[in-house]
Amino acid sequence: MKVSEFAEKLNLEILTEGNGSSKDIKGMYICDLLSWAMSHAQKGDAWVTVHTHVNIIAVAVMADISCIVIPEGIEVEEATLKKAAQEGIAVLGTKKTAYEIACEAGKLL
Amino acid sequence: MTNGIIRQNFVIPADDFTAAGEASSSVKKMLIQLGVDPQKVKKTAISMYEAEINAVIHANGGIASVEIDRNKIFIRIEDHGPGIPDVELAMKEGYTTAPDAIREMGFGAGMGLPNMKRYADLLEIKTEVGKGTTVEITVYLS
């Protein structure tokens, strides 16, 4: 499923103005330890993390993550969104918790 | 890929988390362009990124040099930081000396060196307390 379609179905806000939203989402991974996420997430996963600093984009690039989902209405730094746009990684925001996101994603993916 | 050797050097800037990962990211893109097997690209990207981040966190940055030939990808990350007093201990998953501020960013979980070992085909660490550390990562292509 494309990132744009996933965002629409889960009612997630695309914070990166369409950059990277045509990528395919194949699964989901939830983790806030960056090394762990980079090592264990699968190619094409949507990654849910509470971190919003610019390095999450590098981690997503290294691990071939399809998009990043920031839960619970956490505000994302402008530098992170700029970097995300450069690297073609969509960042999606929502007020939902990681658990709620995963429950809904589980029905779709 | 041709028989030639591709060599490239990158400066890893000190304490600059905005730029941390730039070198690994560039190498990853280069390997994809060269048509390297995606699994080997991933192994290289993750192990190099961990080494790069370590240089930023612990050693005021450093120099990354990359050599790619038809048989292997060789990456050397050299810093002039504090060195590692006990490499065996540092290799243990979960052991960390990263400060709290770094841990709050989601780094410093004590997984950097274990991840390098996991993803590199060959990992060599040369370190001297007070002088610095050189990490050499090899990923074989054939």
Side-chain angles (χ1 to χ4, degrees):
Chain A
M1 178 180 289
K2 301 269 182 242
V3 170
S4 51
E5 194 185 346
F6 181 77
E8 197 188 319
K9 292 208 163 147
L10 263 70
N11 197 20
L12 311 173
E13 188 188 351
I14 300 177
L15 305 172
T16 35
E17 293 170 6
N19 283 297
S21 51
S22 61
K23 284 191 179 156
D24 267 323
I25 299 183
K26 304 216 170 84
M28 177 163 275
Y29 196 77
I30 306 173
C31 182
D32 295 317
L33 288 181
L34 301 186
S35 289
W36 192 276
M38 186 168 60
S39 176
H40 292 86
Q42 299 297 308
K43 185 178 180 174
D45 279 352
W47 173 33
V48 184
T49 178
V50 297
H51 292 298
T52 57
H53 56 78
V54 71
N55 297 90
I56 60 171
I57 307 304
V59 169
V61 168
M62 296 304 145
D64 294 318
I65 297 279
S66 55
C67 67
I68 300 172
V69 187
I70 308 293
E72 305 195 43
I74 302 166
E75 202 173 319
V76 182
E77 281 118 82
E78 200 51 48
T80 305
L81 297 177
K82 202 173 148 198
K83 185 79 182 165
Q86 272 170 19
E87 296 289 349
I89 302 274
V91 178
L92 315 177
T94 176
K95 290 208 164 19
K96 293 170 192 174
T97 65
Y99 174 69
E100 289 164 339
I101 298 162
C103 287
E104 289 182 41
K107 293 172 194 155
L108 285 176
L109 298 173
Chain B
M1 205 184 300
T2 63
N3 288 327
I5 300 178
I6 296 169
R7 286 196 179 91
Q8 205 159 336
N9 291 339
F10 301 87
V11 174
I12 303 169
D15 293 323
D16 185 357
F17 274 94
T18 336
E22 293 280 334
S24 311
S25 193
S26 301
V27 170
K28 187 181 180 198
K29 280 172 199 156
M30 199 193 309
L31 295 175
I32 292 170
Q33 275 174 4
L34 289 167
V36 172
D37 172 64
Q39 206 49 40
K40 294 187 191 299
V41 174
K42 184 178 176 180
K43 280 160 67 98
T44 309
I46 292 179
S47 47
M48 183 174 175
Y49 181 73
E50 292 287 10
E52 190 180 349
I53 284 290
N54 269 357
V56 174
I57 294 174
H58 298 286
N60 294 320
I63 301 285
S65 50
V66 180
E67 274 181 31
I68 307 162
D69 63 38
R70 58 180 299 134
N71 298 316
K72 65 180 185 307
I73 302 157
F74 177 77
I75 293 155
R76 177 187 289 122
I77 307 232
E78 193 178 355
D79 70 53
H80 297 289
I84 307 170
D86 186 340
V87 174
E88 205 182 321
L89 185 60
M91 290 304 296
K92 283 199 177 137
E93 207 159 291
Y95 178 81
T96 181
T97 57
D100 285 350
I102 298 295
R103 292 164 62 88
E104 278 160 21
M105 290 173 79
F107 293 112
M111 282 196 65
L113 285 167
N115 258 0
M116 281 179 236
K117 195 174 166 115
R118 181 172 171 195
Y119 285 101
D121 291 325
L122 193 66
L123 175 68
E124 282 205 48
I125 300 166
K126 295 163 193 166
T127 185
E128 200 177 328
V129 172
K131 295 249 168 101
T133 300
T134 300
V135 172
E136 293 179 346
I137 295 159
T138 306
V139 173
Y140 294 111
L141 293 173
S142 51

